[in-house]
Amino acid sequence: MKKLNQMRMANDQQLKQIHGTDYAYTETVVIYLRGALRKNPYAVEHAISDLLTTLIDAQTAGRKVSTFFGDDPETAADNIWQITSLIRTSPESFNGSLLMMYF
């Protein structure tokens, strides 16, 4: 549990690097992802970390989050679940590069 809390704290710090309307959108996606109770919480945090890293890079390049996801953050989170198949993925075997297929 301690490792999970450390992962969440690190992700929360990454989230703070996103600014403006992108922050509100990304925060909604993160909350929605974390709210999926049937998912492996470690895999969820790995997916969030990969997502945030990608979005920080995109923001640095001048892109908007909605460019990747469209206008609805919950639909974006659902699409991330479909791509990563987190229901059956253990944290040891999760490969964040699967998320990159979405982008």
Side-chain angles (χ1 to χ4, degrees):
M1 189 68 153
K2 184 177 180 180
K3 182 177 178 178
L4 180 61
N5 287 335
Q6 290 172 338
M7 292 170 69
R8 284 185 180 148
M9 289 174 52
N11 286 339
D12 289 343
Q13 290 301 312
Q14 279 190 296
L15 179 61
K16 290 178 183 178
Q17 295 178 41
I18 298 186
H19 305 287
T21 57
D22 286 345
Y23 177 86
Y25 186 102
T26 304
E27 182 181 42
T28 301
V29 172
V30 169
I31 289 168
Y32 189 78
L33 291 172
R34 285 180 175 161
L37 300 177
R38 295 184 187 177
K39 311 296 186 204
N40 179 312
Y42 292 95
V44 168
E45 292 304 320
H46 280 286
I48 290 170
S49 177
D50 192 51
L51 169 72
L52 292 171
T53 299
T54 300
L55 295 179
I56 291 167
D57 290 346
Q59 182 176 296
T60 301
R63 293 186 174 169
K64 293 273 184 200
V65 171
S66 60
T67 301
F68 292 108
F69 296 119
D71 294 329
D72 182 24
E74 289 183 10
T75 299
D78 288 339
N79 290 336
I80 291 168
W81 290 136
Q82 290 175 355
I83 291 168
T84 58
S85 301
L86 290 175
I87 293 173
R88 290 181 231 116
T89 304
S90 70
E92 294 79 22
S93 66
F94 179 74
N95 181 351
S97 63
L98 290 173
L99 185 59
M100 295 304 296
M101 291 170 33
Y102 186 76
F103 305 109

